[in-house]
Amino acid sequence: MFSDKEKYHRFDKKVFLATPKMHGEELLYIKEAFEKNWITTAGDNVNELEKYAAEYTGCKYAVGLSNGTAALHLAIKLAAQKLYKGQKPGASLEGKRVFCTDMTFDATVNPIVYEGGEPVFIDTEYDTWNMDPLALEKAFDIYPDVRLVVLANLYGTPAKLDEIKEICDKHRALLVEDAAESLGASFKGKMTGSFGDINVISFNGNKIITGSAGGMLLTDSIEDADKTRKLSTQAREAAPWYQHEELGYNYRISNIIAGIVRGQFKHLDEHIQLKKDIYERYKEGFKELPVKMNPFDEKKAVPNYWLSCLIIDKEAMCKQVRGDKEALYIPEEKKSCPTEILETLAAYNAEGRPIWKPMHLQPIYRNNAFVNRKGYARAMSNAYIDEGLVSDVGMDIFDRGLCLPSDINMSPEDQAIIIEIVKSCFN
Ligand SMILES: *Cc1c(COP(=O)(O)O)cnc(C)c1O
């Protein structure tokens, strides 16, 4: 592959995975906040953003928070308080297991641990790269007393939300939907971020729209919305002084950040279209390669195409070994691997990323249970998988998949070169 390297130039300007795209209205809302001196955590931008986000997602209430992780923390805390009354403040999940998406950003999972809970990781399915409903069902066989499920929609692709919801209902479990990556994506005509009992979105810098930071909790319950407002502003009681009956947090969104998001929201659909164009150009460009794009159910789901990813066919993988912090591979004709492709992209000044390394493979969660369709599923090495002894879909997608540069500021011309660079890895 390195002999091909001279064929193209290194990009003068780095091609990123995903960066913000600003439009100008954002500044107007910030300016308005300055003029009215509403700089802090109250003001028109917060109110209007909350109204708009609720309308857009089809949830009755939206509460603006400092980021998606804070929103997940409060979502999980509220769910836990409903389920397990009488637990200590700050440890509302003490001694309780929680089922959660395995192949995701660790922000999906960490808030379970903030509350003293024990994540049990549910394996991934190949159809959408999300939580496998059959593995979830199996997990309820093994741990019938679990009452909380935390599910993420990976890379903007909705999970099998109908099946997941049905399983949760059957087992009287609450669902927290982490739609941080999937704002604007829908499933059977309903927006993601509205399927859970409590839902979360994020406006982090590389999400489909951004406020530089920021997040939201979405719910149909006015009690949950009010509770979220209270907990996120230090849990003050109605009293002339600072009176406290429960543990509070400083998680409210600022009116400045809300102004940026308010301006961005108007361009969400436009961003989705640009992301879709990127996905389709890759799909077309890789037609002849032994790879597939990250899949979704065309009949039921409309993704927001946040990140375009590919997965290399098994037969076309060259040998690749990943340790805890390093990776090695052996180049081979007509074959490639994520490490080779990512290194090649980087050599041209373009940014890809490995698939989220599954949580059950993370040292911090090494002792947590991991469940697939057959039951417990901790593989000791890829060799077990190759021999069919253990199935670990997340490990397999991590092994063969990668995220491509998906920046909406990337020009189609630059993307065409990215496509050629990826192709050259298979020469
Ligand atoms: C980005 C992200 C979050 C966290 O959002 P922040 O606003 O960065 O705290 C949570 N879950 C998933 C799946 C994410 O991608």
Side-chain angles (χ1 to χ4, degrees):
M1 65 125 186
F2 279 101
S3 58
D4 286 315
K5 221 160 128 184
E6 289 81 50
K7 274 208 315 222
Y8 321 100
H9 292 293
R10 235 180 100 84
F11 291 106
D12 293 332
K13 236 176 106 221
K14 185 168 178 178
V15 179
F16 287 99
L17 185 80
T19 59
K21 187 179 183 71
M22 292 292 138
H23 302 274
E25 284 107 314
E26 300 90 346
L27 270 177
L28 300 179
Y29 291 124
I30 293 179
K31 196 154 167 277
E32 203 179 288
F34 270 68
E35 279 161 6
K36 294 184 182 164
N37 202 30
W38 285 105
I39 303 300
T40 156
T41 52
D44 289 346
N45 288 335
V46 174
N47 299 338
E48 290 302 313
L49 171 63
E50 290 183 345
K51 228 164 70 190
Y52 193 79
E55 244 166 63
Y56 186 89
T57 55
C59 285
K60 288 207 183 101
Y61 309 97
V63 184
L65 298 169
S66 50
N67 56 62
T69 311
L72 274 159
H73 186 190
L74 294 186
I76 286 164
K77 193 180 184 74
L78 288 181
Q81 286 181 350
K82 278 185 225 282
L83 293 163
Y84 311 114
K85 296 188 179 70
Q87 297 269 78
K88 276 188 304 199
S92 61
L93 285 168
E94 186 99 61
K96 307 292 181 191
R97 292 190 179 92
V98 176
F99 296 151
C100 56
T101 294
D102 178 52
M103 196 170 77
T104 181
F105 188 34
D106 70 345
T108 307
V109 172
N110 290 346
I112 296 169
V113 183
Y114 299 168
E115 288 299 315
E118 186 186 321
V120 171
F121 301 112
I122 309 299
D123 200 11
T124 307
E125 38 87 359
Y126 286 110
D127 300 345
T128 76
W129 295 10
N130 284 302
M131 182 189 284
D132 181 358
L134 294 176
L136 179 63
E137 188 69 72
K138 192 73 198 174
F140 275 112
D141 290 348
I142 301 173
Y143 304 107
D145 50 355
V146 169
R147 287 287 172 274
L148 182 56
V149 177
V150 180
L151 168 127
N153 300 302
L154 196 82
Y155 300 139
T157 297
K160 294 179 175 173
L161 287 159
D162 47 359
E163 292 173 49
I164 300 276
K165 190 87 185 89
E166 204 182 304
I167 295 167
C168 289
D169 290 346
K170 185 170 131 196
H171 295 277
R172 292 177 294 117
L174 295 179
L175 177 66
V176 169
E177 187 190 0
D178 175 0
E181 298 177 0
S182 69
L183 178 61
S186 61
F187 185 81
K188 288 183 165 175
K190 189 169 143 65
M191 283 291 171
T192 59
S194 70
F195 285 83
D197 296 279
I198 312 175
N199 313 284
V200 166
I201 54 178
S202 159
F203 307 118
N204 161 318
N206 72 7
K207 297 294 182 330
I208 194 140
I209 55 170
T210 182
S212 73
M216 282 190 140
L217 184 145
L218 304 161
T219 173
D220 282 338
S221 149
I222 189 155
E223 291 81 23
D224 284 351
D226 288 344
K227 192 80 193 267
T228 303
R229 289 203 171 85
K230 180 182 172 192
L231 292 181
S232 65
T233 51
Q234 309 290 19
R236 269 185 87 175
E237 300 299 328
W241 44 81
Y242 277 77
Q243 176 83 6
H244 299 289
E245 293 175 9
E246 57 187 327
L247 193 63
Y249 300 86
N250 183 7
Y251 279 174
R252 197 73 163 114
I253 198 170
S254 98
N255 196 47
I256 303 295
I257 285 178
I260 306 177
V261 182
R262 193 180 164 192
Q264 286 264 290
F265 235 115
K266 302 187 170 169
H267 297 276
L268 173 54
D269 291 337
E270 178 189 326
H271 287 196
I272 293 173
Q273 185 58 50
L274 291 168
K275 292 277 192 187
K276 184 178 182 187
D277 294 345
I278 290 171
Y279 180 94
E280 286 183 342
R281 282 196 289 266
Y282 277 131
K283 193 170 179 177
E284 177 64 25
F286 296 150
K287 244 179 5 201
E288 315 282 316
L289 287 188
V291 307
K292 286 174 194 62
M293 297 297 291
N294 46 331
F296 61 94
D297 182 341
E298 290 183 29
K299 288 203 203 78
K300 290 183 184 167
V302 182
N304 72 1
Y305 301 92
W306 175 53
L307 290 187
S308 285
C309 306
L310 64 74
I311 182 163
I312 301 170
D313 293 349
K314 278 201 176 97
E315 312 74 57
M317 278 282 291
C318 68
K319 196 153 180 61
Q320 168 191 251
V321 178
R322 280 172 165 162
D324 265 354
K325 293 190 176 151
E326 288 173 312
L328 287 173
Y329 66 95
I330 302 172
E332 206 177 322
E333 254 184 49
K334 307 281 173 218
K335 293 186 176 186
S336 190
C337 64
T339 303
E340 178 176 31
I341 295 172
L342 292 170
E343 283 183 4
T344 309
L345 286 171
Y348 285 102
N349 205 20
E351 182 186 35
R353 193 160 69 185
I355 299 296
W356 296 127
K357 182 172 175 172
M359 287 300 121
H360 79 279
L361 299 174
Q362 302 287 357
I364 181 178
Y365 292 122
R366 196 164 268 159
N367 294 321
N368 292 58
F370 169 58
V371 176
N372 71 5
R373 295 177 180 194
K374 292 185 195 147
Y376 287 113
R378 274 201 174 270
M380 300 316 286
S381 82
N382 286 7
Y384 288 75
I385 294 172
D386 294 343
E387 287 166 32
L389 293 175
V390 176
S391 118
D392 184 334
V393 176
M395 187 192 272
D396 183 36
I397 296 174
F398 173 64
D399 207 37
R400 294 192 285 127
L402 67 108
C403 306
L404 294 153
S406 306
D407 188 8
I408 52 182
N409 298 302
M410 169 174 68
S411 70
E413 292 73 29
D414 281 354
Q415 193 184 351
I417 296 170
I418 300 278
I419 289 170
E420 290 310 312
I421 293 168
V422 173
K423 280 186 184 166
S424 73
C425 293
F426 288 90
N427 286 345

